[in-house]
Amino acid sequence: MEEEKPWVLISEVGGDHGYLAELADIVKQHFHIICYKELLENPELYGPKVQALLNWKFCPVVEPELLRLLPSLKVVASGGVGVDHLDVPFINSLGVKVANTPGVVSDSTADLAMALLLASARRILEGHQVAIDPKTVLIPQRLMGVEVTNASLGIIGMGEIGHKIAQRAKGFDMKIVYHNRRRRSAEDERAVGAKFCESLDELLGRSDFVMVAVKLTAETRGLIGHRELSIMKPTATLVNISRGQVVDQNALVDALQSGRIRAAALDVTHPEPLPRDHPLLGLPSVLITPHIGINTFTTARRMVERMVRNARAAVEGSPVPDEVKLQ
Amino acid sequence: MMRCVHFARRVTKLWAPVEAPGLLKVTNLQRSACHLPPKKVMAEEKPWALFSEVGGEGYLEGVIGIMKQHFQLICHKDFLKNPLVYGPKIQALFVWNCYPAAEPSLLTSLPSLKVVANGGVGIDHLDVSYINSLGVKVTNTPGVVSAATADMAMGLLLASARKIVEGHLISVDPKTTYLPSSLMGVEVSGSTLGIIGMGNIGYKIAQRGKGFDMRILYHNRTRRCLEDEEAVGAIYCRNMDDLLKESDFVVLAVNLSPETKHLIGHRELALMKDTATLVNISRGLVVDQEALLKALQSGVIQAAALDVTYPEPLPRDHPLLSLPNVLLTPHAGTNTNTTVRKMVQLMVENAVAVVKGSQVPNEVKL
């Protein structure tokens, strides 16, 4: 019966970049798994059997060289909502669909956004380091953070994730403004008490916390640069949970070093991880997490289940629920 | 110089005739009145207050001005240089971070003391009945501390759940060459939050938890009204055990009293889920620390995030400091300039009210 299951290509199980065993088990219920390394041992034999490719944390890298080995491929099912790492038009041109996992990642990513905002504002990392430092003999009086309650939050990108961030921020009585390509409905705005800012500059000028939650496109690449950072308040914090390329990293280093903004909290950088001598790593006002926006067992499981669902639909010839269709 | 003597002569005409040595004295006084702005004269009329210190362990420089508006201040170090002279002048004692300690050794040298005004809402470090027995009132600063403390509680909960500190350390580690796929945290959205102590702070925590679609349970000495419960979607647990069994995150927001000392011990920790996280923003003594240590070491609970310990700070060889599943912050629950200012303002307001004999906004009554 094992032979009858369709073949799926994944990066690896375990190891540095791979799936946790429990997640691989979800895939195994419906597919015969072949790992990238195994494929390369005999691509002529294994390649034509592969009907689906599961892309997790950008691995395996979906390049023409790989796709050429997979003549029977029907779908690239990516984990996560961002597809900026996939050349969708090229993949489609080969008759292969692309699917992502919207929705299931939103709560977890919004939670992480708030976690970064609070950890930065209240200096939790420094607090912990002081609390456990062998040299600490007194409770420090100088470790002062900035107030979150009643502060202004400016959300750039008010998609599903941005809206959920607004919902969470509302619980802290934050004053919420947002900037988006399209204005959301009055109902959506009312639900989270958010005001639309037609002008990005206006949002930047009035916010204590600037939250970047857009997807990476040609329009959003370098969206936050020298100019935008200098419009921000010197007491403001930048939080980025979108993609590293949305922010001009050199401009960010500059702004932090010169005190043009107070701090930055980043789940994403470019590249990931940063080179070990990158100036961002040495700045005390920077909090960086290693792209863990969706890193909970609950969410990872849901994502893999969605990826499997998308892959199965493509293999069976049914409509793919989360097919990425470009305009 | 000539002007001053002239001024003094003028003044003596208004006053009763003074002998020559007295004239000198008057001249000196008038000289100070000439050379200093009127405010300084007013300063003599302000009541005296004893406080710990500026900087160091004490107050931020920026807030001393608030205290000086209403009080002639003397710091503890200066007071100790001449307690017999300064002691009888002092009508208010400002206590911040438990300093100066309002103990008999100090209080007996403050015969004119009317109030011990605490900065902060917790007063477990003050023997209120003893202080009251001296005819001295105790005040604290509830309300103004609540938002910042609730924010801290959520900050700790999220940082622990999503492994923010670990994540950062990996991100900046010189040895890191790839993103780890195994740094997994626990889901906050949709999880169950159990709040023990539903006062001002506990309630604000519930309000924040609701934004994350958390299921909120609470335990309190008295049940809150239906309206309060509905506003944050909180479910009352008359029996604390039920809350402990069902919660993914247990947050302690009680004040420290004989009833709440070691409220969370071996038994309570064993009732909690082994996937649960304990968050403490109340007082270290509310938790039996030895029991907590054992529970964390043996996986009885998953993690702890503590803004408070006993003592503070912990001894440098304390095992809690080296557990990977413990997040500690150095009692920073109210550490924002905004909140510290509000606390000092309220602390001063309380003291002014007592000294003037008006209605005292925040007297701690047993």
Side-chain angles (χ1 to χ4, degrees):
Chain A
M1 295 300 268
E2 182 61 38
E3 298 306 327
E4 291 171 23
K5 285 190 191 149
W7 283 50
V8 75
L9 173 65
I10 67 169
S11 53
E12 58 180 329
V13 182
D16 303 334
H17 308 277
Y19 293 71
L20 301 170
E22 305 91 324
L23 300 177
D25 286 345
I26 298 172
V27 179
K28 281 179 187 167
Q29 281 172 25
H30 304 280
F31 289 94
H32 172 87
I33 291 182
I34 179 168
C35 300
Y36 185 63
K37 240 191 318 211
E38 285 175 291
L39 171 74
L40 293 182
E41 280 164 15
N42 199 340
E44 290 83 25
L45 180 61
Y46 299 137
K49 295 181 190 253
V50 174
Q51 295 193 61
L53 189 160
L54 301 187
N55 188 264
W56 180 262
K57 302 268 180 188
F58 315 127
C59 296
V61 179
V62 182
E63 283 165 333
E65 295 75 41
L66 174 59
L67 294 173
R68 245 194 301 269
L69 300 176
L70 312 172
S72 315
L73 191 67
K74 296 199 164 87
V75 65
V76 170
S78 187
V81 64
V83 289
D84 49 278
H85 59 291
L86 299 170
D87 186 343
V88 181
F90 171 69
I91 298 168
N92 286 165
S93 75
L94 302 174
V96 178
K97 295 184 195 232
V98 175
N100 61 353
T101 62
V104 291
V105 300
S106 309
D107 281 333
S108 174
T109 309
D111 289 354
L112 189 83
M114 291 304 295
L116 283 171
L117 186 155
L118 283 158
S120 173
R122 299 304 298 272
R123 300 176 72 181
I124 290 184
L125 170 69
E126 281 157 292
H128 178 77
Q129 287 171 327
V130 166
I132 64 171
D133 190 326
K135 294 194 277 354
T136 292
V137 290
L138 295 166
I139 295 292
Q141 295 312 307
R142 310 256 148 270
L143 191 58
M144 302 294 277
V146 293
E147 197 89 14
V148 170
T149 294
N150 289 325
S152 302
L153 172 64
I155 302 175
I156 306 175
M158 193 73 145
E160 198 167 308
I161 295 172
H163 195 259
K164 282 182 184 277
I165 292 170
Q167 179 189 310
R168 283 145 181 74
K170 178 169 181 268
F172 293 78
D173 297 322
M174 295 185 90
K175 303 183 186 65
I176 305 166
V177 297
Y178 75 98
H179 179 76
N180 205 40
R181 273 173 308 186
R182 296 175 338 266
R183 187 170 176 168
R184 287 192 82 130
S185 70
E187 196 187 338
D188 282 351
E189 289 182 352
R190 227 188 341 262
V192 297
K195 261 190 64 186
F196 182 61
C197 252
E198 185 113 36
S199 151
L200 177 59
D201 285 5
E202 194 200 328
L203 179 152
L204 293 168
R206 63 194 274 188
S207 299
D208 299 306
F209 296 90
V210 173
M211 176 72 67
V212 184
V214 294
K215 37 176 211 266
L216 178 62
T217 63
E219 289 77 41
T220 62
R221 192 176 294 269
L223 184 67
I224 306 294
H226 282 290
R227 194 185 149 275
E228 290 71 28
L229 291 161
S230 56
I231 297 172
M232 282 172 67
K233 296 183 184 183
T235 49
T237 304
L238 179 75
V239 185
N240 188 10
I241 49 101
S242 57
R243 283 292 183 268
Q245 297 98 313
V246 174
V247 174
D248 174 345
Q249 263 168 200
N250 293 330
L252 178 61
V253 170
D254 209 43
L256 288 163
Q257 282 172 338
S258 60
R260 251 175 299 121
I261 65 169
R262 182 198 78 97
L266 319 168
D267 188 41
V268 288
T269 59
H270 182 70
E272 286 172 359
L274 288 168
R276 297 296 87 191
D277 58 356
H278 198 283
L280 273 176
L281 300 188
L283 290 175
S285 51
V286 175
L287 181 62
I288 309 182
T289 44
H291 204 148
I292 52 172
I294 51 87
N295 279 36
T296 69
F297 290 106
T298 309
T299 293
R301 214 174 5 250
R302 285 189 193 139
M303 278 171 64
V304 172
E305 281 165 2
R306 280 293 266 265
M307 287 160 74
V308 164
R309 192 179 76 164
N310 288 329
R312 284 186 68 199
V315 164
E316 287 161 14
S318 326
V320 175
D322 303 307
E323 187 179 350
V324 175
K325 293 199 175 102
L326 297 177
Q327 269 87 19
Chain B
M1 199 74 98
M2 285 288 286
R3 215 180 278 145
C4 271
V5 168
H6 176 72
F7 186 68
R9 216 180 278 145
R10 271 238 211 104
V11 170
T12 50
K13 279 194 186 148
L14 297 169
W15 294 5
V18 184
E19 324 151 356
L23 180 62
L24 259 168
K25 250 200 228 159
V26 170
T27 309
N28 284 338
L29 265 175
Q30 292 310 306
R31 186 178 297 142
S32 31
C34 286
H35 288 188
L36 293 167
K39 240 197 222 165
K40 190 70 180 185
V41 175
M42 298 288 271
E44 301 302 335
E45 297 169 11
K46 285 186 195 163
W48 283 63
L50 174 60
F51 75 110
S52 53
E53 58 177 333
V54 187
E57 286 306 288
Y59 299 77
L60 303 172
E61 290 77 1
V63 297
I64 290 297
I66 301 171
M67 294 153 77
K68 278 188 177 164
Q69 271 176 25
H70 300 279
F71 290 93
Q72 173 77 5
L73 293 180
I74 180 165
C75 69
H76 195 223
K77 209 165 36 167
D78 287 347
F79 166 79
L80 289 174
K81 288 177 188 162
N82 206 336
L84 293 174
V85 165
Y86 298 126
K89 295 175 188 264
I90 289 160
Q91 297 192 55
L93 171 65
F94 290 125
V95 177
W96 188 267
N97 279 324
C98 310
Y99 289 113
E103 286 163 351
S105 52
L106 175 61
L107 299 181
T108 47
S109 51
L110 308 175
S112 314
L113 191 68
K114 295 200 167 97
V115 62
V116 171
N118 192 60
V121 64
I123 40 91
D124 47 279
H125 57 289
L126 298 172
D127 186 341
V128 180
S129 54
Y130 164 68
I131 296 169
N132 285 166
S133 74
L134 303 174
V136 177
K137 293 189 201 277
V138 176
T139 63
N140 64 349
T141 61
V144 293
V145 300
S146 307
T149 311
D151 289 352
M152 192 63 170
M154 290 305 294
L156 283 169
L157 185 156
L158 283 158
S160 172
R162 300 304 298 272
K163 304 209 161 153
I164 300 282
V165 171
E166 236 176 288
H168 176 87
L169 294 175
I170 288 170
S171 291
V172 302
D173 191 326
K175 296 192 275 358
T176 292
T177 53
Y178 55 85
L179 293 180
S181 54
S182 54
L183 188 62
M184 302 293 273
V186 292
E187 200 83 47
V188 170
S189 282
S191 64
T192 301
L193 171 64
I195 303 173
I196 300 177
M198 194 75 143
N200 280 335
I201 296 171
Y203 193 74
K204 283 192 187 278
I205 294 170
Q207 180 189 319
R208 284 145 182 71
K210 176 168 184 270
F212 292 78
D213 299 321
M214 294 178 94
R215 174 173 165 251
I216 301 169
L217 308 174
Y218 79 99
H219 176 75
N220 205 40
R221 273 174 307 190
T222 54
R223 188 170 174 168
R224 283 220 165 207
C225 70
L226 205 58
E227 201 186 338
D228 280 356
E229 288 182 352
E230 275 169 12
V232 297
I235 299 161
Y236 183 58
C237 283
R238 191 175 312 274
N239 188 341
M240 196 174 84
D241 287 5
D242 294 332
L243 179 153
L244 294 168
K245 287 178 197 163
E246 295 187 38
S247 298
D248 299 302
F249 298 91
V250 174
V251 179
L252 304 176
V254 291
N255 53 21
L256 177 62
S257 66
E259 291 76 43
T260 62
K261 184 175 174 185
H262 286 192
L263 183 68
I264 304 297
H266 284 291
R267 190 187 154 277
E268 289 71 29
L269 292 160
L271 286 172
M272 284 170 66
K273 295 183 181 182
D274 60 10
T275 51
T277 301
L278 181 72
V279 180
N280 190 6
I281 49 99
S282 58
R283 284 290 182 268
L285 281 171
V286 172
V287 176
D288 174 348
Q289 249 167 216
E290 291 314 303
L292 176 63
L293 181 61
K294 288 211 172 66
L296 289 163
Q297 284 168 331
S298 57
V300 165
I301 66 169
Q302 182 171 93
L306 316 170
D307 189 42
V308 289
T309 58
Y310 185 78
E312 284 171 7
L314 287 169
R316 297 296 87 190
D317 57 357
H318 199 287
L320 273 176
L321 301 188
S322 49
L323 288 181
N325 50 352
V326 174
L327 178 62
L328 290 168
T329 44
H331 205 146
T334 57
N335 281 29
T336 70
N337 285 310
T338 307
T339 291
V340 165
R341 278 195 84 80
K342 285 183 186 162
M343 284 166 72
V344 172
Q345 263 157 359
L346 187 57
M347 180 181 73
V348 169
E349 225 175 275
N350 290 337
V352 167
V354 173
V355 165
K356 285 202 176 134
S358 14
Q359 179 88 333
V360 182
N362 302 108
E363 187 181 351
V364 176
K365 291 200 175 101
L366 295 175

